[in-house]
Amino acid sequence: MTEKLNLTDAEWREKLSPEQYHVLREGGTERAFTGKYEKNKAEGMYYCAGCGAPLFSSDTKYNSGSGWPSYTAPVEGEAVDEHRDMSHGMIRTEVTCAKCEGHLGHVFPDGPGPTGLRYCINSASLEFKPEE
Ligand SMILES: [Zn+2]
């Protein structure tokens, strides 16, 4: 089991920027093509902006043209949780951080090989650190 990080709403508001709070804690979505990591091609690791857990490696990032950072898989282990999301009249699979339960984005079955998955993640949920 991943150890959980539980903060109060006031603590989250203190820790996160308004945009990060909206996405991570309210399940918001940043506008397409506006996120800071959509076009990032540098090698490195994407961490949760809420709790710092490693979530996605640049090795799995690809340009999906969707307007959001896209990955074929999360890092090894139990970094993310997936939940059925029936909001907005659609059936989608929501992706959340396993440690802080922050909303990251959604996963769709239209990605490239080998997984065939597209993890469509908000830049606001992520903090990128380039490889040394
Ligand atoms: Zn987190």
Side-chain angles (χ1 to χ4, degrees):
M1 274 294 288
T2 305
E3 197 181 325
K4 301 281 181 195
L5 175 70
N6 288 310
L7 299 183
T8 65
D9 188 60
E11 287 169 331
W12 280 121
R13 284 186 187 275
E14 176 97 349
K15 185 176 167 70
L16 302 173
S17 73
E19 192 192 16
Q20 289 172 331
Y21 181 89
H22 176 61
V23 173
L24 283 162
R25 309 314 309 176
E26 298 182 318
T29 301
E30 69 198 12
R31 282 188 298 128
F33 302 104
T34 64
K36 59 184 170 178
Y37 297 134
E38 189 239 334
K39 294 205 160 45
N40 185 25
K41 289 193 172 70
E43 302 271 304
M45 184 63 75
Y46 293 84
Y47 296 85
C48 177
C51 70
L55 299 177
F56 295 94
S57 160
S58 60
D59 294 346
T60 64
K61 191 174 190 290
Y62 74 103
N63 182 10
S64 68
S66 68
W68 292 278
S70 300
Y71 308 84
T72 54
V75 296
E76 298 280 316
E78 298 175 345
V80 304
D81 287 331
E82 298 179 11
H83 316 266
R84 190 171 159 95
D85 172 9
M86 296 182 61
S87 63
H88 303 290
M90 293 177 274
I91 300 176
R92 295 179 296 175
T93 303
E94 182 193 12
V95 181
T96 58
C97 173
K99 185 169 178 188
C100 72
E101 297 175 353
H103 172 79
L104 304 174
H106 290 87
V107 57
F108 300 94
D110 59 8
T115 62
L117 296 174
R118 170 169 63 97
Y119 285 82
C120 183
I121 306 299
N122 290 283
S123 298
S125 304
L126 301 171
E127 201 63 60
F128 177 74
K129 293 197 184 114
E131 236 159 56
E132 296 288 308

PDB file of all heavy atoms in Angstrom, residues 14-52:
ATOM      1  N   GLU A  14      -2.896  26.441   1.005  1.00  0.00           N
ATOM      2  CA  GLU A  14      -1.639  27.087   1.352  1.00  0.00           C
ATOM      3  C   GLU A  14      -0.499  26.575   0.474  1.00  0.00           C
ATOM      4  O   GLU A  14       0.350  27.328   0.020  1.00  0.00           O
ATOM      5  CB  GLU A  14      -1.348  26.776   2.833  1.00  0.00           C
ATOM      6  CG  GLU A  14      -0.030  27.277   3.349  1.00  0.00           C
ATOM      7  CD  GLU A  14      -0.191  28.603   4.073  1.00  0.00           C
ATOM      8  OE1 GLU A  14      -1.270  29.223   4.005  1.00  0.00           O
ATOM      9  OE2 GLU A  14       0.783  29.004   4.705  1.00  0.00           O
ATOM     10  N   LYS A  15      -0.501  25.252   0.220  1.00  0.00           N
ATOM     11  CA  LYS A  15       0.607  24.574  -0.449  1.00  0.00           C
ATOM     12  C   LYS A  15       0.590  24.769  -1.955  1.00  0.00           C
ATOM     13  O   LYS A  15       1.643  24.848  -2.593  1.00  0.00           O
ATOM     14  CB  LYS A  15       0.487  23.080  -0.101  1.00  0.00           C
ATOM     15  CG  LYS A  15       1.596  22.160  -0.575  1.00  0.00           C
ATOM     16  CD  LYS A  15       1.309  20.746  -0.030  1.00  0.00           C
ATOM     17  CE  LYS A  15       2.165  19.668  -0.673  1.00  0.00           C
ATOM     18  NZ  LYS A  15       3.571  19.729  -0.288  1.00  0.00           N
ATOM     19  N   LEU A  16      -0.605  24.824  -2.553  1.00  0.00           N
ATOM     20  CA  LEU A  16      -0.742  24.807  -4.003  1.00  0.00           C
ATOM     21  C   LEU A  16      -1.071  26.184  -4.561  1.00  0.00           C
ATOM     22  O   LEU A  16      -1.678  27.004  -3.882  1.00  0.00           O
ATOM     23  CB  LEU A  16      -1.854  23.834  -4.409  1.00  0.00           C
ATOM     24  CG  LEU A  16      -1.692  22.377  -3.942  1.00  0.00           C
ATOM     25  CD1 LEU A  16      -2.951  21.584  -4.277  1.00  0.00           C
ATOM     26  CD2 LEU A  16      -0.472  21.739  -4.592  1.00  0.00           C
ATOM     27  N   SER A  17      -0.682  26.392  -5.823  1.00  0.00           N
ATOM     28  CA  SER A  17      -1.141  27.598  -6.522  1.00  0.00           C
ATOM     29  C   SER A  17      -2.637  27.427  -6.809  1.00  0.00           C
ATOM     30  O   SER A  17      -3.146  26.308  -6.782  1.00  0.00           O
ATOM     31  CB  SER A  17      -0.368  27.771  -7.825  1.00  0.00           C
ATOM     32  OG  SER A  17      -0.809  26.798  -8.767  1.00  0.00           O
ATOM     33  N   PRO A  18      -3.352  28.541  -7.098  1.00  0.00           N
ATOM     34  CA  PRO A  18      -4.787  28.407  -7.394  1.00  0.00           C
ATOM     35  C   PRO A  18      -5.065  27.431  -8.543  1.00  0.00           C
ATOM     36  O   PRO A  18      -6.020  26.654  -8.483  1.00  0.00           O
ATOM     37  CB  PRO A  18      -5.205  29.835  -7.766  1.00  0.00           C
ATOM     38  CG  PRO A  18      -4.232  30.707  -7.029  1.00  0.00           C
ATOM     39  CD  PRO A  18      -2.935  29.942  -7.027  1.00  0.00           C
ATOM     40  N   GLU A  19      -4.212  27.444  -9.566  1.00  0.00           N
ATOM     41  CA  GLU A  19      -4.415  26.536 -10.701  1.00  0.00           C
ATOM     42  C   GLU A  19      -4.170  25.081 -10.292  1.00  0.00           C
ATOM     43  O   GLU A  19      -4.927  24.177 -10.651  1.00  0.00           O
ATOM     44  CB  GLU A  19      -3.496  26.914 -11.864  1.00  0.00           C
ATOM     45  CG  GLU A  19      -3.884  26.194 -13.141  1.00  0.00           C
ATOM     46  CD  GLU A  19      -2.838  26.301 -14.241  1.00  0.00           C
ATOM     47  OE1 GLU A  19      -1.671  26.668 -13.937  1.00  0.00           O
ATOM     48  OE2 GLU A  19      -3.183  26.007 -15.388  1.00  0.00           O
ATOM     49  N   GLN A  20      -3.100  24.849  -9.529  1.00  0.00           N
ATOM     50  CA  GLN A  20      -2.822  23.486  -9.043  1.00  0.00           C
ATOM     51  C   GLN A  20      -3.954  23.002  -8.151  1.00  0.00           C
ATOM     52  O   GLN A  20      -4.374  21.852  -8.232  1.00  0.00           O
ATOM     53  CB  GLN A  20      -1.503  23.464  -8.256  1.00  0.00           C
ATOM     54  CG  GLN A  20      -0.272  23.626  -9.126  1.00  0.00           C
ATOM     55  CD  GLN A  20       0.996  23.803  -8.296  1.00  0.00           C
ATOM     56  OE1 GLN A  20       0.957  24.315  -7.172  1.00  0.00           O
ATOM     57  NE2 GLN A  20       2.119  23.393  -8.847  1.00  0.00           N
ATOM     58  N   TYR A  21      -4.461  23.879  -7.293  1.00  0.00           N
ATOM     59  CA  TYR A  21      -5.554  23.504  -6.401  1.00  0.00           C
ATOM     60  C   TYR A  21      -6.794  23.109  -7.209  1.00  0.00           C
ATOM     61  O   TYR A  21      -7.446  22.098  -6.932  1.00  0.00           O
ATOM     62  CB  TYR A  21      -5.878  24.658  -5.438  1.00  0.00           C
ATOM     63  CG  TYR A  21      -6.984  24.309  -4.470  1.00  0.00           C
ATOM     64  CD1 TYR A  21      -6.699  23.708  -3.250  1.00  0.00           C
ATOM     65  CD2 TYR A  21      -8.316  24.552  -4.799  1.00  0.00           C
ATOM     66  CE1 TYR A  21      -7.717  23.347  -2.376  1.00  0.00           C
ATOM     67  CE2 TYR A  21      -9.342  24.201  -3.934  1.00  0.00           C
ATOM     68  CZ  TYR A  21      -9.035  23.604  -2.726  1.00  0.00           C
ATOM     69  OH  TYR A  21     -10.047  23.240  -1.868  1.00  0.00           O
ATOM     70  N   HIS A  22      -7.101  23.915  -8.212  1.00  0.00           N
ATOM     71  CA  HIS A  22      -8.286  23.654  -9.033  1.00  0.00           C
ATOM     72  C   HIS A  22      -8.210  22.279  -9.699  1.00  0.00           C
ATOM     73  O   HIS A  22      -9.176  21.521  -9.712  1.00  0.00           O
ATOM     74  CB  HIS A  22      -8.436  24.753 -10.084  1.00  0.00           C
ATOM     75  CG  HIS A  22      -9.580  24.519 -11.026  1.00  0.00           C
ATOM     76  ND1 HIS A  22     -10.884  24.448 -10.590  1.00  0.00           N
ATOM     77  CD2 HIS A  22      -9.621  24.320 -12.368  1.00  0.00           C
ATOM     78  CE1 HIS A  22     -11.676  24.219 -11.633  1.00  0.00           C
ATOM     79  NE2 HIS A  22     -10.932  24.123 -12.710  1.00  0.00           N
ATOM     80  N   VAL A  23      -7.043  21.947 -10.245  1.00  0.00           N
ATOM     81  CA  VAL A  23      -6.898  20.662 -10.937  1.00  0.00           C
ATOM     82  C   VAL A  23      -6.807  19.508  -9.930  1.00  0.00           C
ATOM     83  O   VAL A  23      -7.593  18.556  -9.978  1.00  0.00           O
ATOM     84  CB  VAL A  23      -5.663  20.666 -11.871  1.00  0.00           C
ATOM     85  CG1 VAL A  23      -5.425  19.276 -12.459  1.00  0.00           C
ATOM     86  CG2 VAL A  23      -5.851  21.686 -12.990  1.00  0.00           C
ATOM     87  N   LEU A  24      -5.872  19.606  -8.999  1.00  0.00           N
ATOM     88  CA  LEU A  24      -5.598  18.474  -8.095  1.00  0.00           C
ATOM     89  C   LEU A  24      -6.722  18.210  -7.109  1.00  0.00           C
ATOM     90  O   LEU A  24      -7.074  17.066  -6.838  1.00  0.00           O
ATOM     91  CB  LEU A  24      -4.310  18.736  -7.303  1.00  0.00           C
ATOM     92  CG  LEU A  24      -2.989  18.530  -8.061  1.00  0.00           C
ATOM     93  CD1 LEU A  24      -1.853  19.231  -7.329  1.00  0.00           C
ATOM     94  CD2 LEU A  24      -2.672  17.056  -8.223  1.00  0.00           C
ATOM     95  N   ARG A  25      -7.276  19.257  -6.521  1.00  0.00           N
ATOM     96  CA  ARG A  25      -8.239  19.061  -5.437  1.00  0.00           C
ATOM     97  C   ARG A  25      -9.686  19.197  -5.886  1.00  0.00           C
ATOM     98  O   ARG A  25     -10.597  18.765  -5.192  1.00  0.00           O
ATOM     99  CB  ARG A  25      -7.968  20.029  -4.274  1.00  0.00           C
ATOM    100  CG  ARG A  25      -6.541  20.063  -3.746  1.00  0.00           C
ATOM    101  CD  ARG A  25      -5.867  18.710  -3.499  1.00  0.00           C
ATOM    102  NE  ARG A  25      -6.598  17.757  -2.697  1.00  0.00           N
ATOM    103  CZ  ARG A  25      -6.185  16.506  -2.462  1.00  0.00           C
ATOM    104  NH1 ARG A  25      -5.048  16.070  -2.965  1.00  0.00           N
ATOM    105  NH2 ARG A  25      -6.916  15.690  -1.746  1.00  0.00           N
ATOM    106  N   GLU A  26      -9.933  19.858  -7.027  1.00  0.00           N
ATOM    107  CA  GLU A  26     -11.314  20.034  -7.503  1.00  0.00           C
ATOM    108  C   GLU A  26     -11.579  19.270  -8.794  1.00  0.00           C
ATOM    109  O   GLU A  26     -12.645  19.402  -9.378  1.00  0.00           O
ATOM    110  CB  GLU A  26     -11.612  21.525  -7.708  1.00  0.00           C
ATOM    111  CG  GLU A  26     -11.502  22.321  -6.409  1.00  0.00           C
ATOM    112  CD  GLU A  26     -11.839  23.798  -6.588  1.00  0.00           C
ATOM    113  OE1 GLU A  26     -11.405  24.397  -7.588  1.00  0.00           O
ATOM    114  OE2 GLU A  26     -12.519  24.338  -5.719  1.00  0.00           O
ATOM    115  N   GLY A  27     -10.587  18.516  -9.273  1.00  0.00           N
ATOM    116  CA  GLY A  27     -10.789  17.729 -10.492  1.00  0.00           C
ATOM    117  C   GLY A  27     -10.904  18.569 -11.740  1.00  0.00           C
ATOM    118  O   GLY A  27     -11.534  18.160 -12.719  1.00  0.00           O
ATOM    119  N   GLY A  28     -10.305  19.743 -11.722  1.00  0.00           N
ATOM    120  CA  GLY A  28     -10.379  20.630 -12.880  1.00  0.00           C
ATOM    121  C   GLY A  28      -9.484  20.173 -14.021  1.00  0.00           C
ATOM    122  O   GLY A  28      -8.675  19.265 -13.871  1.00  0.00           O
ATOM    123  N   THR A  29      -9.662  20.815 -15.157  1.00  0.00           N
ATOM    124  CA  THR A  29      -8.842  20.521 -16.335  1.00  0.00           C
ATOM    125  C   THR A  29      -8.308  21.831 -16.880  1.00  0.00           C
ATOM    126  O   THR A  29      -9.074  22.772 -17.101  1.00  0.00           O
ATOM    127  CB  THR A  29      -9.680  19.820 -17.423  1.00  0.00           C
ATOM    128  OG1 THR A  29     -10.202  18.606 -16.877  1.00  0.00           O
ATOM    129  CG2 THR A  29      -8.843  19.498 -18.646  1.00  0.00           C
ATOM    130  N   GLU A  30      -6.995  21.895 -17.090  1.00  0.00           N
ATOM    131  CA  GLU A  30      -6.431  23.106 -17.698  1.00  0.00           C
ATOM    132  C   GLU A  30      -6.825  23.143 -19.171  1.00  0.00           C
ATOM    133  O   GLU A  30      -7.115  22.105 -19.765  1.00  0.00           O
ATOM    134  CB  GLU A  30      -4.901  23.115 -17.544  1.00  0.00           C
ATOM    135  CG  GLU A  30      -4.214  22.037 -18.386  1.00  0.00           C
ATOM    136  CD  GLU A  30      -2.786  21.739 -17.931  1.00  0.00           C
ATOM    137  OE1 GLU A  30      -2.385  22.173 -16.842  1.00  0.00           O
ATOM    138  OE2 GLU A  30      -2.097  21.033 -18.690  1.00  0.00           O
ATOM    139  N   ARG A  31      -6.857  24.347 -19.746  1.00  0.00           N
ATOM    140  CA  ARG A  31      -7.220  24.446 -21.156  1.00  0.00           C
ATOM    141  C   ARG A  31      -6.145  23.779 -22.022  1.00  0.00           C
ATOM    142  O   ARG A  31      -4.958  23.874 -21.738  1.00  0.00           O
ATOM    143  CB  ARG A  31      -7.417  25.902 -21.568  1.00  0.00           C
ATOM    144  CG  ARG A  31      -8.782  26.434 -21.092  1.00  0.00           C
ATOM    145  CD  ARG A  31      -9.073  27.809 -21.664  1.00  0.00           C
ATOM    146  NE  ARG A  31      -8.082  28.771 -21.227  1.00  0.00           N
ATOM    147  CZ  ARG A  31      -7.397  29.577 -22.051  1.00  0.00           C
ATOM    148  NH1 ARG A  31      -7.592  29.549 -23.336  1.00  0.00           N
ATOM    149  NH2 ARG A  31      -6.516  30.425 -21.557  1.00  0.00           N
ATOM    150  N   ALA A  32      -6.582  23.121 -23.101  1.00  0.00           N
ATOM    151  CA  ALA A  32      -5.646  22.435 -24.005  1.00  0.00           C
ATOM    152  C   ALA A  32      -4.601  23.416 -24.523  1.00  0.00           C
ATOM    153  O   ALA A  32      -4.908  24.590 -24.764  1.00  0.00           O
ATOM    154  CB  ALA A  32      -6.408  21.817 -25.168  1.00  0.00           C
ATOM    155  N   PHE A  33      -3.397  22.931 -24.691  1.00  0.00           N
ATOM    156  CA  PHE A  33      -2.264  23.679 -25.251  1.00  0.00           C
ATOM    157  C   PHE A  33      -1.805  24.854 -24.380  1.00  0.00           C
ATOM    158  O   PHE A  33      -1.080  25.715 -24.840  1.00  0.00           O
ATOM    159  CB  PHE A  33      -2.569  24.173 -26.689  1.00  0.00           C
ATOM    160  CG  PHE A  33      -2.908  23.059 -27.623  1.00  0.00           C
ATOM    161  CD1 PHE A  33      -4.226  22.823 -28.006  1.00  0.00           C
ATOM    162  CD2 PHE A  33      -1.917  22.204 -28.103  1.00  0.00           C
ATOM    163  CE1 PHE A  33      -4.552  21.767 -28.851  1.00  0.00           C
ATOM    164  CE2 PHE A  33      -2.236  21.147 -28.947  1.00  0.00           C
ATOM    165  CZ  PHE A  33      -3.551  20.930 -29.332  1.00  0.00           C
ATOM    166  N   THR A  34      -2.251  24.907 -23.114  1.00  0.00           N
ATOM    167  CA  THR A  34      -1.805  25.993 -22.241  1.00  0.00           C
ATOM    168  C   THR A  34      -0.841  25.513 -21.167  1.00  0.00           C
ATOM    169  O   THR A  34      -0.211  26.322 -20.498  1.00  0.00           O
ATOM    170  CB  THR A  34      -3.001  26.661 -21.515  1.00  0.00           C
ATOM    171  OG1 THR A  34      -3.611  25.691 -20.651  1.00  0.00           O
ATOM    172  CG2 THR A  34      -4.023  27.185 -22.494  1.00  0.00           C
ATOM    173  N   GLY A  35      -0.740  24.213 -20.951  1.00  0.00           N
ATOM    174  CA  GLY A  35       0.075  23.688 -19.853  1.00  0.00           C
ATOM    175  C   GLY A  35       1.563  23.804 -20.133  1.00  0.00           C
ATOM    176  O   GLY A  35       1.996  23.743 -21.282  1.00  0.00           O
ATOM    177  N   LYS A  36       2.336  23.951 -19.044  1.00  0.00           N
ATOM    178  CA  LYS A  36       3.767  24.198 -19.231  1.00  0.00           C
ATOM    179  C   LYS A  36       4.543  22.975 -19.701  1.00  0.00           C
ATOM    180  O   LYS A  36       5.668  23.110 -20.170  1.00  0.00           O
ATOM    181  CB  LYS A  36       4.372  24.735 -17.930  1.00  0.00           C
ATOM    182  CG  LYS A  36       4.216  23.813 -16.725  1.00  0.00           C
ATOM    183  CD  LYS A  36       4.758  24.476 -15.457  1.00  0.00           C
ATOM    184  CE  LYS A  36       4.370  23.664 -14.237  1.00  0.00           C
ATOM    185  NZ  LYS A  36       4.908  24.216 -12.996  1.00  0.00           N
ATOM    186  N   TYR A  37       3.969  21.767 -19.585  1.00  0.00           N
ATOM    187  CA  TYR A  37       4.728  20.572 -19.964  1.00  0.00           C
ATOM    188  C   TYR A  37       4.242  19.913 -21.253  1.00  0.00           C
ATOM    189  O   TYR A  37       4.774  18.884 -21.647  1.00  0.00           O
ATOM    190  CB  TYR A  37       4.680  19.534 -18.833  1.00  0.00           C
ATOM    191  CG  TYR A  37       5.328  20.031 -17.562  1.00  0.00           C
ATOM    192  CD1 TYR A  37       4.712  19.859 -16.332  1.00  0.00           C
ATOM    193  CD2 TYR A  37       6.566  20.672 -17.600  1.00  0.00           C
ATOM    194  CE1 TYR A  37       5.309  20.315 -15.168  1.00  0.00           C
ATOM    195  CE2 TYR A  37       7.159  21.135 -16.441  1.00  0.00           C
ATOM    196  CZ  TYR A  37       6.531  20.955 -15.232  1.00  0.00           C
ATOM    197  OH  TYR A  37       7.122  21.402 -14.076  1.00  0.00           O
ATOM    198  N   GLU A  38       3.240  20.505 -21.893  1.00  0.00           N
ATOM    199  CA  GLU A  38       2.683  19.852 -23.076  1.00  0.00           C
ATOM    200  C   GLU A  38       3.778  19.600 -24.119  1.00  0.00           C
ATOM    201  O   GLU A  38       3.835  18.551 -24.743  1.00  0.00           O
ATOM    202  CB  GLU A  38       1.565  20.722 -23.666  1.00  0.00           C
ATOM    203  CG  GLU A  38       0.781  20.036 -24.777  1.00  0.00           C
ATOM    204  CD  GLU A  38       0.842  20.782 -26.081  1.00  0.00           C
ATOM    205  OE1 GLU A  38       1.042  22.010 -26.058  1.00  0.00           O
ATOM    206  OE2 GLU A  38       0.710  20.129 -27.126  1.00  0.00           O
ATOM    207  N   LYS A  39       4.666  20.586 -24.323  1.00  0.00           N
ATOM    208  CA  LYS A  39       5.690  20.460 -25.357  1.00  0.00           C
ATOM    209  C   LYS A  39       7.066  20.129 -24.781  1.00  0.00           C
ATOM    210  O   LYS A  39       8.061  20.149 -25.500  1.00  0.00           O
ATOM    211  CB  LYS A  39       5.768  21.763 -26.166  1.00  0.00           C
ATOM    212  CG  LYS A  39       4.504  22.014 -26.969  1.00  0.00           C
ATOM    213  CD  LYS A  39       4.779  22.885 -28.173  1.00  0.00           C
ATOM    214  CE  LYS A  39       3.699  22.763 -29.234  1.00  0.00           C
ATOM    215  NZ  LYS A  39       2.320  22.804 -28.715  1.00  0.00           N
ATOM    216  N   ASN A  40       7.126  19.826 -23.496  1.00  0.00           N
ATOM    217  CA  ASN A  40       8.426  19.533 -22.882  1.00  0.00           C
ATOM    218  C   ASN A  40       8.967  18.201 -23.386  1.00  0.00           C
ATOM    219  O   ASN A  40       8.326  17.163 -23.250  1.00  0.00           O
ATOM    220  CB  ASN A  40       8.255  19.478 -21.355  1.00  0.00           C
ATOM    221  CG  ASN A  40       9.589  19.293 -20.651  1.00  0.00           C
ATOM    222  OD1 ASN A  40      10.632  19.648 -21.185  1.00  0.00           O
ATOM    223  ND2 ASN A  40       9.548  18.722 -19.465  1.00  0.00           N
ATOM    224  N   LYS A  41      10.169  18.242 -23.988  1.00  0.00           N
ATOM    225  CA  LYS A  41      10.764  17.003 -24.507  1.00  0.00           C
ATOM    226  C   LYS A  41      12.002  16.603 -23.718  1.00  0.00           C
ATOM    227  O   LYS A  41      12.698  15.651 -24.074  1.00  0.00           O
ATOM    228  CB  LYS A  41      11.136  17.180 -25.987  1.00  0.00           C
ATOM    229  CG  LYS A  41       9.935  17.253 -26.904  1.00  0.00           C
ATOM    230  CD  LYS A  41      10.378  17.103 -28.360  1.00  0.00           C
ATOM    231  CE  LYS A  41       9.185  16.985 -29.308  1.00  0.00           C
ATOM    232  NZ  LYS A  41       8.450  18.249 -29.411  1.00  0.00           N
ATOM    233  N   ALA A  42      12.305  17.317 -22.649  1.00  0.00           N
ATOM    234  CA  ALA A  42      13.513  17.015 -21.875  1.00  0.00           C
ATOM    235  C   ALA A  42      13.387  15.662 -21.179  1.00  0.00           C
ATOM    236  O   ALA A  42      12.285  15.203 -20.876  1.00  0.00           O
ATOM    237  CB  ALA A  42      13.740  18.115 -20.841  1.00  0.00           C
ATOM    238  N   GLU A  43      14.542  15.045 -20.932  1.00  0.00           N
ATOM    239  CA  GLU A  43      14.594  13.771 -20.208  1.00  0.00           C
ATOM    240  C   GLU A  43      14.491  14.033 -18.714  1.00  0.00           C
ATOM    241  O   GLU A  43      15.175  14.929 -18.194  1.00  0.00           O
ATOM    242  CB  GLU A  43      15.937  13.083 -20.460  1.00  0.00           C
ATOM    243  CG  GLU A  43      16.247  12.807 -21.902  1.00  0.00           C
ATOM    244  CD  GLU A  43      15.708  11.459 -22.340  1.00  0.00           C
ATOM    245  OE1 GLU A  43      16.062  10.468 -21.699  1.00  0.00           O
ATOM    246  OE2 GLU A  43      14.922  11.428 -23.311  1.00  0.00           O
ATOM    247  N   GLY A  44      13.670  13.252 -18.050  1.00  0.00           N
ATOM    248  CA  GLY A  44      13.581  13.431 -16.607  1.00  0.00           C
ATOM    249  C   GLY A  44      12.329  12.787 -16.054  1.00  0.00           C
ATOM    250  O   GLY A  44      11.716  11.947 -16.697  1.00  0.00           O
ATOM    251  N   MET A  45      11.984  13.209 -14.843  1.00  0.00           N
ATOM    252  CA  MET A  45      10.855  12.600 -14.135  1.00  0.00           C
ATOM    253  C   MET A  45       9.802  13.664 -13.818  1.00  0.00           C
ATOM    254  O   MET A  45      10.133  14.793 -13.487  1.00  0.00           O
ATOM    255  CB  MET A  45      11.363  11.962 -12.839  1.00  0.00           C
ATOM    256  CG  MET A  45      10.315  11.218 -12.040  1.00  0.00           C
ATOM    257  SD  MET A  45       9.627   9.791 -12.908  1.00  0.00           S
ATOM    258  CE  MET A  45      10.994   8.624 -12.764  1.00  0.00           C
ATOM    259  N   TYR A  46       8.539  13.259 -13.965  1.00  0.00           N
ATOM    260  CA  TYR A  46       7.415  14.129 -13.608  1.00  0.00           C
ATOM    261  C   TYR A  46       6.880  13.670 -12.248  1.00  0.00           C
ATOM    262  O   TYR A  46       6.461  12.522 -12.101  1.00  0.00           O
ATOM    263  CB  TYR A  46       6.320  14.036 -14.670  1.00  0.00           C
ATOM    264  CG  TYR A  46       6.747  14.615 -16.002  1.00  0.00           C
ATOM    265  CD1 TYR A  46       7.474  13.844 -16.898  1.00  0.00           C
ATOM    266  CD2 TYR A  46       6.439  15.919 -16.350  1.00  0.00           C
ATOM    267  CE1 TYR A  46       7.881  14.369 -18.112  1.00  0.00           C
ATOM    268  CE2 TYR A  46       6.840  16.458 -17.561  1.00  0.00           C
ATOM    269  CZ  TYR A  46       7.562  15.675 -18.447  1.00  0.00           C
ATOM    270  OH  TYR A  46       7.974  16.192 -19.648  1.00  0.00           O
ATOM    271  N   TYR A  47       6.903  14.587 -11.293  1.00  0.00           N
ATOM    272  CA  TYR A  47       6.454  14.293  -9.933  1.00  0.00           C
ATOM    273  C   TYR A  47       5.081  14.920  -9.704  1.00  0.00           C
ATOM    274  O   TYR A  47       4.711  15.905 -10.365  1.00  0.00           O
ATOM    275  CB  TYR A  47       7.439  14.867  -8.915  1.00  0.00           C
ATOM    276  CG  TYR A  47       8.813  14.234  -8.989  1.00  0.00           C
ATOM    277  CD1 TYR A  47       9.759  14.705  -9.887  1.00  0.00           C
ATOM    278  CD2 TYR A  47       9.147  13.158  -8.168  1.00  0.00           C
ATOM    279  CE1 TYR A  47      11.024  14.114  -9.983  1.00  0.00           C
ATOM    280  CE2 TYR A  47      10.399  12.562  -8.244  1.00  0.00           C
ATOM    281  CZ  TYR A  47      11.338  13.045  -9.153  1.00  0.00           C
ATOM    282  OH  TYR A  47      12.581  12.456  -9.247  1.00  0.00           O
ATOM    283  N   CYS A  48       4.355  14.397  -8.715  1.00  0.00           N
ATOM    284  CA  CYS A  48       3.073  14.977  -8.332  1.00  0.00           C
ATOM    285  C   CYS A  48       3.304  16.369  -7.762  1.00  0.00           C
ATOM    286  O   CYS A  48       4.129  16.537  -6.854  1.00  0.00           O
ATOM    287  CB  CYS A  48       2.403  14.083  -7.300  1.00  0.00           C
ATOM    288  SG  CYS A  48       0.852  14.762  -6.697  1.00  0.00           S
ATOM    289  N   ALA A  49       2.580  17.365  -8.257  1.00  0.00           N
ATOM    290  CA  ALA A  49       2.729  18.732  -7.752  1.00  0.00           C
ATOM    291  C   ALA A  49       2.145  18.864  -6.351  1.00  0.00           C
ATOM    292  O   ALA A  49       2.443  19.808  -5.637  1.00  0.00           O
ATOM    293  CB  ALA A  49       2.049  19.724  -8.698  1.00  0.00           C
ATOM    294  N   GLY A  50       1.323  17.898  -5.946  1.00  0.00           N
ATOM    295  CA  GLY A  50       0.727  17.957  -4.621  1.00  0.00           C
ATOM    296  C   GLY A  50       1.622  17.380  -3.541  1.00  0.00           C
ATOM    297  O   GLY A  50       1.786  17.969  -2.482  1.00  0.00           O
ATOM    298  N   CYS A  51       2.221  16.212  -3.816  1.00  0.00           N
ATOM    299  CA  CYS A  51       2.944  15.505  -2.748  1.00  0.00           C
ATOM    300  C   CYS A  51       4.360  15.105  -3.113  1.00  0.00           C
ATOM    301  O   CYS A  51       5.078  14.583  -2.263  1.00  0.00           O
ATOM    302  CB  CYS A  51       2.159  14.266  -2.336  1.00  0.00           C
ATOM    303  SG  CYS A  51       2.166  12.988  -3.604  1.00  0.00           S
ATOM    304  N   GLY A  52       4.773  15.299  -4.376  1.00  0.00           N
ATOM    305  CA  GLY A  52       6.149  15.001  -4.761  1.00  0.00           C
ATOM    306  C   GLY A  52       6.410  13.554  -5.132  1.00  0.00           C
ATOM    307  O   GLY A  52       7.554  13.176  -5.390  1.00  0.00           O
TER     308      GLY A  52
END
